[in-house]
Structures are given as C-alpha cells and as structure tokens.
Amino acid sequence: MRAESVGGLLGAIVGAAVLAAAFYYVPVGPMARPMQPAKVELPPTPVQTVPVAPAVRGPVVREVPN
C-alpha cells in the first residue's frame, strides 16, 4: 500500500470517530433534553459589612546594596 492510501484510510477512521463523538455528545434538535423549570430569583438579602482595618505594611527598601 502506498502512503497516500494509508493516510486516507486513517483519515477516514479519525473522521468517523469525530462524527460519532459529535452525535454522542451534542443534542440534536430542541427536544433533545427535557425543559427545566425556571428558577425564581429572590431579592438579595442585605449583608452587613464590618469595616476592616488596612493590612500592616512592611518596611520600604529604597536602596539595594551592591
């Protein structure tokens, strides 16, 4: 067999596998999955925030010795 025919055969096998995976993982049409009930959004509850003190900063190095 020539290299082109082997490559064509392997390409066909890979293409068939990709096509089969596409049909397996992707739903076809709008009726593929049952409809889920709509979620009701509740108004957000007020959250009390406590003021936080700023983090302690370390020393500032202005020069780097050689």
Side-chain angles (χ1 to χ4, degrees), residues 14-25:
V14 169
V18 168
L19 188 62
F23 276 107
Y24 181 75
Y25 287 112

Side-chain angles (χ1 to χ4, degrees), residues 41-52:
E41 293 186 22
L42 299 175
T45 57
V47 177
Q48 294 180 350
T49 59
V50 178
V52 178

